[in-house]
Amino acid sequence: MRLIISKDATAGDISSVISLARELTDDPGAVAVETRDGHMVVSVTSNGDPIDPIAFRSLGCIETIDESYLPYRLAIQNATGTERFKIELPSIQATIGGDDFVVMAGPCAVEDETDLLEIARIAVAAGARLLRGGAYKPRTGPYSFQGIGEEGLEMLSRVRNETGLGIITEAMEPATVEKVSGVADIVQIGSRNMQNFPLLKEVGMGTVPVLLKRGMSATLEEWLGAAEYILDGGNPNVILCERGIRTFSRHSRHTLDIGVVPVIHERTHLPIIIDPSHATGAASRVPSMAKAALASGADGLLIEIHPNPERAKSDGFQAITFDQFDKLMDELKKIATALGVGI
Amino acid sequence: MRLIISKDATAGDISSVISLARELTDDPGAVAVETRDGHMVVSVTSNGDPIDPIAFRSLGCIETIDESYLPYRLAIQNATGTERFKIELPSIQATIGGDDFVVMAGPCAVEDETDLLEIARIAVAAGARLLRGGAYKPRTGPYSFQGIGEEGLEMLSRVRNETGLGIITEAMEPATVEKVSGVADIVQIGSRNMQNFPLLKEVGMGTVPVLLKRGMSATLEEWLGAAEYILDGGNPNVILCERGIRTFSRHSRHTLDIGVVPVIHERTHLPIIIDPSHATGAASRVPSMAKAALASGADGLLIEIHPNPERAKSDGFQAITFDQFDKLMDELKKIATALGVGI
Amino acid sequence: MRLIISKDATAGDISSVISLARELTDDPGAVAVETRDGHMVVSVTSNGDPIDPIAFRSLGCIETIDESYLPYRLAIQNATGTERFKIELPSIQATIGGDDFVVMAGPCAVEDETDLLEIARIAVAAGARLLRGGAYKPRTGPYSFQGIGEEGLEMLSRVRNETGLGIITEAMEPATVEKVSGVADIVQIGSRNMQNFPLLKEVGMGTVPVLLKRGMSATLEEWLGAAEYILDGGNPNVILCERGIRTFSRHSRHTLDIGVVPVIHERTHLPIIIDPSHATGAASRVPSMAKAALASGADGLLIEIHPNPERAKSDGFQAITFDQFDKLMDELKKIATALGVGI
Amino acid sequence: MRLIISKDATAGDISSVISLARELTDDPGAVAVETRDGHMVVSVTSNGDPIDPIAFRSLGCIETIDESYLPYRLAIQNATGTERFKIELPSIQATIGGDDFVVMAGPCAVEDETDLLEIARIAVAAGARLLRGGAYKPRTGPYSFQGIGEEGLEMLSRVRNETGLGIITEAMEPATVEKVSGVADIVQIGSRNMQNFPLLKEVGMGTVPVLLKRGMSATLEEWLGAAEYILDGGNPNVILCERGIRTFSRHSRHTLDIGVVPVIHERTHLPIIIDPSHATGAASRVPSMAKAALASGADGLLIEIHPNPERAKSDGFQAITFDQFDKLMDELKKIATALGVGI
């Protein structure tokens, strides 16, 4: 990032810019001051990574912020802080990124059609707009349940027809994107694949909306860089999803970086939703984080529900029961009303 | 932590316990299975640190969870998930940990009495109950503004008398605890001092409520261990404060670990408040995090406001202006009403 | 010996199994309890020797007696702490995981054939055994140099013939694995693809050795789980590579987790090498880390060198010059001699 | 030379200063711009040599010409990349920061005098120069063994007289610094107290060398800022100690940030030593890290040894036995010889 200082800035003003830059980078070598065409130019990097310019915007003495070398430009083209990109899902008459808080609920993995239909009926009755569920599952080791594949896609398709819920499900490799896109209203790219660039390019060539989960250790720059691969391919329908990051903190499975919500709204026009289930890894904490997500300004939720969490083949302990989901949806509706948001 | 398995548990049940333990510890050596008096006992550590038992409570086959060796016992003695400890501040008729969401607002550092009085009047008018502001300031280097010391305490005292706001301010070493306690309704222990054990012992000998900020890299266990030093000294009035943790994520100053709010309510009876100002380090993101804090179930806020953030000698860029504060308080009141919480 | 407990066994039954195992081994560390596919598994060793299972056959609750139970059973099958797996590279008469410290040097990306040949000649003269260089490059944003693809593979092949250096280069998607394997002595899987399971399965079906870089936020379990996908596919030739992890620490690009070296040697039979260039992101710090890698017991280095680092299209600031490389190799040889290691 | 710019200088004025500096030095890296106390500061060097300030005197916007500007100006005053500060310990004829690798070994906590004397004799025989051991112990919870206090100091003093080993032991609060300094050749400031500023000021008023452990989540800037409190107090004898940082990685207790060693040598003249025992938390991994420390260029080790690690009251599992220590010292001596370092 290069900060072009206005010509009438005082030394005190410029001091503030440099102090902040040093504070943000923790590296004296990261802040360089040059002159160009009679302007002072402060350039800031951090071990080669770009720095978020937002903190500098409130400082009056900066004429322009030159971000031309950033790894993304489409991701931030309509970011005005107020105007946001609306992703329309016409077949279910929903909009993500507008005035509604869109809830996507369902099991971690698609397993059994009877269960799936039951879950879908509960979800739609409580106010969810999409059904989540993985037919293909990325798993840490090769001996774990890996999803039921195409059969699962067909189940999702039938449940979609029966309930009117939209479908969000994951594609794990370029070769299956077409099949998944045929069934899904939103194609999910999982955390582990956030930087699977051939996969990003493949979904970028389509028009089906893509939910791009943040990698467990992805910086904001890397996340937006990944989004840019999709946008650059021609698909403008990117939804970001925060699902917890890797930190030293062990009281929860991951650390929900809820602070990224206002940053995403400042930096980009793309919608941001929260996955409280993977973030916490514990059902008892999901409602608290779901409400926080709504209040923070997120555009929706991706949440796991299951009639019998202990029986689920994958990540059961983070799914909430139907009763817990009903109660949560009631609370979310009250908060949404207070905030003037639809649900 | 030792999990005593009930005698009629099945192997499938026990498998779930062990799988979860392995998942949480990422260390095969951390999970040991023994037998004791005909019971199976699964003991779980993590590099010598205790593990949060909450994830195991939902598993039906566990008879008891033996936490007798934990570094804290008073901190969790009344944790029932519903009954909470109420810390009364009679002189300002406020209760922390009850049905109210208590807002503490003010500048980072006490600098000028005219400013301080103006801030206090705005704060009380908008609904804040306590005035925050440091007379003693811990600073990274010896050449930064270190606070105005006793003079600041006197200013706070006069402003207290004039506005009726309670005072929360920091003590940095055992030798000044008595003076700080003479002025403050709540004594603050800063992040850098969370494990300053002589200081914790000193405030533990008093009765003035203590706000204990979490260290930047403190685990939950270490935080509750620090609280235990105060409780063990005889002072039951401990308020926990989450203010962001150190992670790889650089889009904000620290990462607000909001997921700790429901965990604190599950594990302990102590109130938990959120400091969105230090967590984000950027004024524009403070309102989003403040609303999320309320919705997540936190008991209050510690927030920085300043009439002229750019003029503040310490951390000005994270303070919100009076107008931003008024608007935020309005929104908080609406959410609080929706949630049935007072403010 | 591993005892697979039947799913309907009671806790009492399992206690009997464990008690008997303790009696027979007289060593508390010899009995471990794990789970696999929903079964409990009791594993029993005696100073590394197998235990005669006959005594357990009379206990009704044991379903089978098996040899493997972890999510990565192949990755640890020969781990004895002393015996290690040797990966032979016959065409260059090198062995990784044996008594030699194998140095792989070269540019980050393959760009120009004249440069590449010059680098290769310097590398081989100084004692390197393989030439590194990416023909396909994963890059954070779509607008960065993405490598020259097949043309780069052909260049590598020609330089290989001319210098006798082995080749290590990256495959980024299943579709290019065959082409890369045709040229490479070692196929590299990059950090971002550590959990690209379709890619891991693809290289697992071959026999060319695979260098598996650790993901930036991968736990040891996840890393070994990823290795298991390759091993389980039938390819035993997996080399692990630590290249720095994501932490709060910003003085270097990543934090080199050198402490994983002895852990890998304790837990698995697979060789472990270090990439000091990506870990530090700064040429001036590479020699220090390279020497530390050797002294810590690592099996080799993956290191960037370039005749003119500032001209490199990718990551130039972390490449060391030829002179620095010569000096480093001299020092490494002295340390290796002191440690009784070949180079 | 550092040019302190007056606060009412314009950006144009400052541009002139920088342009002139660039002209005079003909080296882009020679001109750095920083801030101090609200002033802009332009620092100019020329291959380490001072620049004649005369040319700048005619420029009106320069307030003063000064020698110091960083939050830690003393910590970097002699950093030239080659010249290092030697801390002499005359009573044991040792130098830290010179050509020797100084080993400090002993138990975590001082417990029993017979044991302590035995440990000391083994340590001195193997080549250690100082005996480590805590009389005061910071512990996570109030119910853990807190050290034996003054009695421990007396034991250390007697063992010192008997063996000729120097003593390094921890001070936890300002009130005990004098007593500890009376016994210790080096006073240790623990990780938890790295930002206990009153304690730092207290040891800064003495002359006894201070070993300053890095906080678990301390950035380099914070660590050097803490060192500056001691240096600024008048005590130049600061030894830095890396002991592992908090990261997501759980295979070891902390993550040894060995990459900080070359950074410290680039940035400051202060010696840096490594504590492999706390970093790994596991005895079996200590030798590997100790050897890596030496090869990386560190100035010494702080290492735990114990005749019977399982009996130790504090952190026993990270102490190595006498046999392991003897073997390690042999290996270190070989590597040291290869590197031209004394031990």
Side-chain angles (χ1 to χ4, degrees):
Chain A
M1 183 192 49
R2 288 179 191 83
L3 307 164
I4 318 302
I5 307 295
S6 64
K7 289 196 178 176
D8 58 359
T10 65
D13 293 338
I14 304 168
S15 290
S16 307
V17 174
I18 296 172
S19 296
L20 181 56
R22 280 185 46 81
E23 169 108 27
L24 291 176
T25 57
D26 189 35
D27 175 8
V31 183
V33 181
E34 296 173 312
T35 57
R36 199 164 71 191
D37 302 336
H39 281 86
M40 288 192 67
V41 179
V42 178
S43 92
V44 192
T45 55
S46 179
N47 291 310
D49 294 326
I51 280 287
D52 181 357
I54 191 74
F56 296 93
R57 289 204 178 127
S58 61
L59 299 177
C61 66
I62 295 171
E63 200 168 288
T64 35
I65 295 180
D66 173 7
E67 294 185 84
S68 61
Y69 72 105
L70 276 181
Y72 44 83
R73 48 185 186 238
L74 300 171
I76 59 172
Q77 68 182 341
N78 296 318
T80 63
T82 52
E83 193 184 321
R84 310 262 303 289
F85 186 58
K86 291 177 180 59
I87 296 179
E88 305 289 347
L89 301 174
S91 66
I92 58 164
Q93 292 173 292
T95 304
I96 299 176
D99 298 328
D100 289 352
F101 186 75
V102 176
V103 177
M104 316 177 187
C108 185
V110 173
E111 298 166 27
D112 172 273
E113 189 155 354
T114 312
D115 274 3
L116 190 67
L117 190 57
E118 186 190 2
I119 293 169
R121 287 191 171 128
I122 293 289
V124 78
R129 308 301 304 275
L130 292 104
L131 179 68
R132 58 154 294 157
Y136 302 96
K137 297 298 304 171
R139 301 302 298 273
T140 300
Y143 313 128
S144 297
F145 173 64
Q146 309 260 329
I148 59 175
E150 275 187 65
E151 193 190 333
L153 293 180
E154 288 159 19
M155 279 188 201
L156 286 167
S157 184
R158 287 190 293 269
V159 171
R160 185 186 195 288
N161 292 340
E162 211 148 330
T163 60
L165 280 172
I167 297 294
I168 170 168
T169 194
E170 179 165 356
M172 274 179 64
E173 52 183 319
T176 54
V177 165
E178 198 180 332
K179 251 177 224 147
V180 171
S181 301
V183 168
D185 298 88
I186 303 176
V187 176
Q188 176 176 320
I189 302 296
S191 295
R192 289 164 186 77
N193 283 320
M194 192 199 83
Q195 292 193 316
N196 183 334
F197 302 120
L199 179 60
L200 299 177
K201 285 175 182 169
E202 188 71 28
V203 296
M205 291 188 300
T207 56
V208 179
V210 178
L211 181 135
L212 180 65
K213 286 197 154 188
R214 180 179 183 185
M216 292 180 205
S217 63
T219 63
L220 182 58
E221 309 301 311
E222 289 169 343
W223 196 10
L224 295 184
E228 193 77 8
Y229 274 90
I230 304 170
L231 299 169
D232 185 48
N235 187 344
N237 302 306
V238 175
I239 303 157
L240 301 170
C241 177
E242 160 67 27
R243 44 75 75 208
I245 57 172
R246 274 267 158 79
T247 76
F248 73 85
S249 196
R250 305 182 187 188
H251 61 76
S252 56
R253 191 179 170 102
H254 297 102
T255 297
L256 180 65
D257 182 12
I258 199 166
V260 88
V261 172
V263 181
I264 291 291
H265 288 328
E266 283 175 8
R267 295 287 301 281
T268 170
H269 60 287
L270 302 172
I272 165 85
I273 73 161
I274 297 289
D275 174 349
S277 306
H278 281 85
T280 61
S284 63
R285 297 154 191 184
V286 165
S288 166
M289 291 304 95
K291 289 181 276 184
L294 169 55
S296 75
D299 296 298
L301 284 184
L302 187 68
I303 194 169
E304 290 188 19
I305 62 174
H306 201 280
N308 189 343
E310 290 178 22
R311 220 181 57 212
K313 284 192 186 160
S314 169
D315 286 348
F317 46 90
Q318 71 199 30
I320 59 175
T321 64
F322 294 162
D323 284 351
Q324 290 165 333
F325 184 58
D326 277 344
K327 181 162 179 288
L328 171 60
M329 289 299 288
D330 279 348
E331 293 182 304
L332 289 174
K333 285 169 191 165
K334 283 182 199 160
I335 298 172
T337 303
L339 293 168
V341 169
I343 202 166
Chain B
M1 182 192 51
R2 289 180 190 83
L3 307 164
I4 318 302
I5 308 296
S6 65
K7 289 197 178 175
D8 57 359
T10 66
D13 293 338
I14 304 167
S15 289
S16 307
V17 174
I18 295 171
S19 295
L20 180 57
R22 278 186 48 81
E23 170 107 27
L24 292 175
T25 57
D26 190 34
D27 176 5
V31 182
V33 181
E34 296 173 312
T35 56
R36 198 163 70 191
D37 302 337
H39 281 85
M40 288 192 65
V41 180
V42 178
S43 92
V44 193
T45 56
S46 178
N47 292 310
D49 293 328
I51 280 287
D52 182 356
I54 191 74
F56 296 94
R57 289 201 179 133
S58 61
L59 299 177
C61 66
I62 295 171
E63 200 168 289
T64 35
I65 295 179
D66 174 6
E67 294 187 83
S68 60
Y69 72 103
L70 277 180
Y72 43 83
R73 49 184 186 238
L74 299 171
I76 58 172
Q77 66 182 344
N78 297 318
T80 64
T82 51
E83 194 184 321
R84 310 260 306 289
F85 187 58
K86 292 177 179 58
I87 296 179
E88 306 288 348
L89 301 173
S91 66
I92 59 165
Q93 292 174 293
T95 304
I96 298 176
D99 299 327
D100 290 352
F101 186 74
V102 176
V103 177
M104 317 177 186
C108 185
V110 173
E111 298 165 27
D112 172 272
E113 187 153 356
T114 312
D115 274 2
L116 191 67
L117 190 56
E118 187 190 2
I119 294 169
R121 286 189 173 131
I122 293 289
V124 77
R129 309 301 304 275
L130 292 103
L131 178 68
R132 58 154 293 156
Y136 301 97
K137 297 299 303 173
R139 300 304 296 274
T140 300
Y143 313 127
S144 298
F145 173 64
Q146 310 260 330
I148 59 174
E150 274 188 66
E151 193 190 332
L153 293 179
E154 287 159 20
M155 281 189 200
L156 285 167
S157 184
R158 287 190 294 269
V159 172
R160 184 186 196 289
N161 291 340
E162 211 148 330
T163 60
L165 279 172
I167 297 294
I168 170 167
T169 194
E170 179 165 355
M172 274 179 63
E173 52 183 319
T176 55
V177 165
E178 196 179 334
K179 253 179 221 145
V180 172
S181 302
V183 169
D185 298 89
I186 303 177
V187 176
Q188 177 177 320
I189 302 296
S191 294
R192 289 162 187 78
N193 283 320
M194 192 200 82
Q195 291 194 315
N196 183 334
F197 301 120
L199 180 60
L200 299 177
K201 285 176 183 170
E202 188 70 28
V203 296
M205 292 188 300
T207 56
V208 179
V210 178
L211 182 133
L212 180 65
K213 286 198 154 187
R214 181 180 181 184
M216 291 181 204
S217 63
T219 62
L220 182 58
E221 309 301 311
E222 289 169 344
W223 196 9
L224 295 184
E228 192 78 7
Y229 273 91
I230 304 170
L231 298 170
D232 185 48
N235 188 344
N237 301 307
V238 175
I239 302 158
L240 301 170
C241 177
E242 161 67 26
R243 44 76 74 211
I245 56 172
R246 275 267 158 81
T247 76
F248 73 86
S249 196
R250 305 182 186 186
H251 62 76
S252 56
R253 192 179 170 102
H254 296 103
T255 297
L256 180 65
D257 183 12
I258 199 166
V260 86
V261 172
V263 181
I264 291 291
H265 287 327
E266 284 174 8
R267 294 287 302 281
T268 168
H269 60 286
L270 301 172
I272 165 84
I273 75 161
I274 297 289
D275 174 349
S277 307
H278 281 85
T280 62
S284 64
R285 297 153 190 185
V286 165
S288 166
M289 291 304 96
K291 289 181 277 184
L294 170 54
S296 75
D299 297 298
L301 284 183
L302 188 68
I303 194 167
E304 288 188 20
I305 62 176
H306 200 279
N308 189 342
E310 290 178 23
R311 221 181 55 213
K313 283 190 187 161
S314 169
D315 286 347
F317 46 90
Q318 71 199 30
I320 59 176
T321 63
F322 294 162
D323 285 351
Q324 291 165 331
F325 184 58
D326 277 343
K327 182 164 178 288
L328 171 60
M329 289 299 287
D330 280 348
E331 293 182 303
L332 289 174
K333 285 169 191 165
K334 284 182 199 160
I335 299 172
T337 303
L339 293 167
V341 169
I343 203 165
Chain C
M1 182 196 52
R2 290 172 186 86
L3 307 164
I4 317 303
I5 308 295
S6 65
K7 288 196 176 176
D8 57 359
T10 65
D13 293 338
I14 303 165
S15 291
S16 306
V17 174
I18 296 171
S19 298
L20 178 58
R22 291 261 156 82
E23 262 179 62
L24 291 175
T25 58
D26 193 29
D27 173 7
V31 183
V33 181
E34 296 292 341
T35 60
R36 183 171 122 211
D37 300 338
H39 282 85
M40 289 194 64
V41 180
V42 179
S43 113
V44 193
T45 54
S46 179
N47 297 314
D49 293 326
I51 282 284
D52 183 352
I54 191 102
F56 295 92
R57 294 211 171 120
S58 62
L59 299 177
C61 66
I62 295 173
E63 198 168 289
T64 38
I65 294 179
D66 194 7
E67 279 305 312
S68 49
Y69 64 112
L70 276 179
Y72 41 83
R73 55 198 186 232
L74 299 170
I76 59 171
Q77 66 182 345
N78 296 316
T80 65
T82 53
E83 196 184 317
R84 308 261 304 290
F85 186 58
K86 292 177 178 59
I87 296 179
E88 306 287 348
L89 301 174
S91 66
I92 58 164
Q93 292 173 291
T95 303
I96 299 176
D99 297 328
D100 288 352
F101 186 74
V102 176
V103 177
M104 316 178 187
C108 186
V110 173
E111 298 166 27
D112 173 271
E113 188 154 353
T114 312
D115 274 3
L116 191 67
L117 190 57
E118 187 190 1
I119 293 169
R121 285 189 173 132
I122 294 289
V124 77
R129 308 301 304 275
L130 292 104
L131 179 68
R132 59 153 294 157
Y136 302 97
K137 296 299 304 172
R139 300 303 298 273
T140 300
Y143 313 128
S144 297
F145 172 64
Q146 310 260 328
I148 59 174
E150 275 186 65
E151 193 190 334
L153 294 179
E154 288 157 20
M155 279 188 203
L156 286 167
S157 184
R158 287 190 293 269
V159 172
R160 184 186 196 288
N161 291 339
E162 213 149 326
T163 60
L165 279 172
I167 297 295
I168 170 167
T169 193
E170 179 165 356
M172 275 179 63
E173 53 182 319
T176 54
V177 165
E178 198 180 331
K179 251 176 225 147
V180 172
S181 301
V183 169
D185 298 89
I186 302 177
V187 177
Q188 177 177 320
I189 302 296
S191 294
R192 291 161 186 79
N193 283 319
M194 192 200 82
Q195 291 192 317
N196 183 334
F197 301 120
L199 180 60
L200 298 178
K201 286 176 181 168
E202 188 70 27
V203 295
M205 291 189 299
T207 56
V208 178
V210 178
L211 182 134
L212 179 66
K213 285 197 155 187
R214 181 180 181 183
M216 292 182 205
S217 64
T219 63
L220 183 59
E221 306 297 305
E222 290 169 344
W223 196 10
L224 294 184
E228 193 76 9
Y229 273 91
I230 304 170
L231 299 170
D232 185 48
N235 187 343
N237 301 307
V238 176
I239 303 157
L240 302 170
C241 178
E242 161 67 26
R243 44 76 74 211
I245 56 172
R246 274 270 156 79
T247 76
F248 73 85
S249 196
R250 304 182 187 188
H251 62 76
S252 57
R253 192 175 173 99
H254 296 102
T255 297
L256 180 65
D257 183 13
I258 199 166
V260 87
V261 173
V263 181
I264 291 291
H265 287 327
E266 282 176 10
R267 295 282 301 279
T268 168
H269 61 287
L270 302 171
I272 165 84
I273 73 162
I274 297 290
D275 175 348
S277 306
H278 281 86
T280 61
S284 64
R285 297 151 192 186
V286 165
S288 166
M289 291 303 96
K291 289 179 276 183
L294 169 54
S296 74
D299 297 298
L301 284 184
L302 187 67
I303 194 167
E304 290 188 18
I305 63 174
H306 200 279
N308 190 341
E310 291 178 21
R311 220 181 57 210
K313 285 190 184 160
S314 168
D315 285 347
F317 45 90
Q318 71 199 31
I320 58 175
T321 63
F322 295 162
D323 285 350
Q324 290 164 332
F325 183 60
D326 277 343
K327 182 163 178 288
L328 171 60
M329 289 299 287
D330 280 348
E331 292 181 305
L332 290 174
K333 285 169 191 166
K334 283 181 200 161
I335 299 173
T337 303
L339 293 167
V341 169
I343 203 165
Chain D
M1 181 195 54
R2 290 172 186 87
L3 307 163
I4 316 302
I5 308 296
S6 67
K7 289 197 176 174
D8 57 0
T10 66
D13 294 338
I14 303 166
S15 291
S16 308
V17 174
I18 295 172
S19 298
L20 179 57
R22 290 260 156 85
E23 263 177 62
L24 291 175
T25 57
D26 193 30
D27 173 7
V31 182
V33 182
E34 297 291 341
T35 59
R36 183 171 121 212
D37 300 336
H39 282 85
M40 288 194 64
V41 180
V42 178
S43 116
V44 193
T45 54
S46 179
N47 297 313
D49 292 327
I51 282 283
D52 183 352
I54 191 106
F56 295 93
R57 292 210 174 123
S58 61
L59 299 176
C61 66
I62 295 172
E63 198 168 290
T64 37
I65 295 177
D66 193 7
E67 279 305 312
S68 48
Y69 64 113
L70 276 179
Y72 42 81
R73 55 199 187 231
L74 299 171
I76 58 170
Q77 67 183 343
N78 296 318
T80 66
T82 51
E83 196 183 318
R84 309 262 303 289
F85 187 58
K86 292 177 179 58
I87 296 179
E88 306 288 348
L89 301 174
S91 67
I92 59 165
Q93 291 173 293
T95 304
I96 299 176
D99 299 327
D100 289 351
F101 186 74
V102 176
V103 177
M104 315 177 188
C108 185
V110 173
E111 299 165 26
D112 172 271
E113 189 155 354
T114 312
D115 274 2
L116 191 66
L117 190 57
E118 187 190 2
I119 295 169
R121 286 189 172 132
I122 293 289
V124 78
R129 309 300 305 274
L130 293 104
L131 178 69
R132 57 154 294 157
Y136 302 96
K137 296 300 303 174
R139 300 304 297 273
T140 301
Y143 313 128
S144 298
F145 172 64
Q146 310 259 328
I148 59 173
E150 275 187 63
E151 192 189 334
L153 294 179
E154 288 158 20
M155 279 188 202
L156 285 167
S157 184
R158 286 190 294 268
V159 172
R160 184 187 196 289
N161 292 339
E162 212 148 329
T163 61
L165 280 171
I167 297 294
I168 171 167
T169 194
E170 180 166 355
M172 276 179 61
E173 54 182 318
T176 54
V177 165
E178 197 179 333
K179 252 177 223 147
V180 171
S181 301
V183 168
D185 298 89
I186 303 176
V187 176
Q188 177 176 320
I189 302 295
S191 294
R192 291 162 186 78
N193 282 320
M194 191 201 83
Q195 290 193 315
N196 183 334
F197 301 121
L199 179 61
L200 299 177
K201 286 176 182 169
E202 188 71 26
V203 295
M205 292 189 299
T207 56
V208 179
V210 178
L211 182 134
L212 180 65
K213 286 197 154 188
R214 181 180 181 185
M216 291 181 205
S217 64
T219 63
L220 183 59
E221 304 298 304
E222 289 169 344
W223 195 10
L224 295 185
E228 193 76 8
Y229 273 91
I230 303 170
L231 298 170
D232 185 48
N235 187 344
N237 301 306
V238 175
I239 303 158
L240 302 171
C241 178
E242 160 68 26
R243 44 76 74 209
I245 57 172
R246 273 270 156 79
T247 77
F248 74 85
S249 196
R250 305 182 186 186
H251 62 75
S252 57
R253 191 175 174 100
H254 296 102
T255 297
L256 180 66
D257 183 13
I258 199 165
V260 87
V261 172
V263 181
I264 290 291
H265 288 327
E266 282 176 10
R267 298 281 304 278
T268 169
H269 61 287
L270 302 172
I272 164 84
I273 73 160
I274 298 289
D275 175 350
S277 307
H278 282 85
T280 61
S284 63
R285 296 150 191 188
V286 165
S288 167
M289 291 303 96
K291 289 180 276 183
L294 169 55
S296 75
D299 297 298
L301 285 183
L302 188 66
I303 195 168
E304 291 187 18
I305 61 174
H306 201 279
N308 189 342
E310 291 178 22
R311 220 180 57 210
K313 283 191 187 161
S314 169
D315 286 346
F317 45 90
Q318 71 198 29
I320 58 175
T321 63
F322 293 162
D323 284 350
Q324 291 165 332
F325 184 60
D326 276 343
K327 183 164 177 288
L328 171 61
M329 290 297 288
D330 279 348
E331 293 182 303
L332 290 174
K333 285 169 193 167
K334 285 180 197 161
I335 299 172
T337 303
L339 294 167
V341 169
I343 201 165

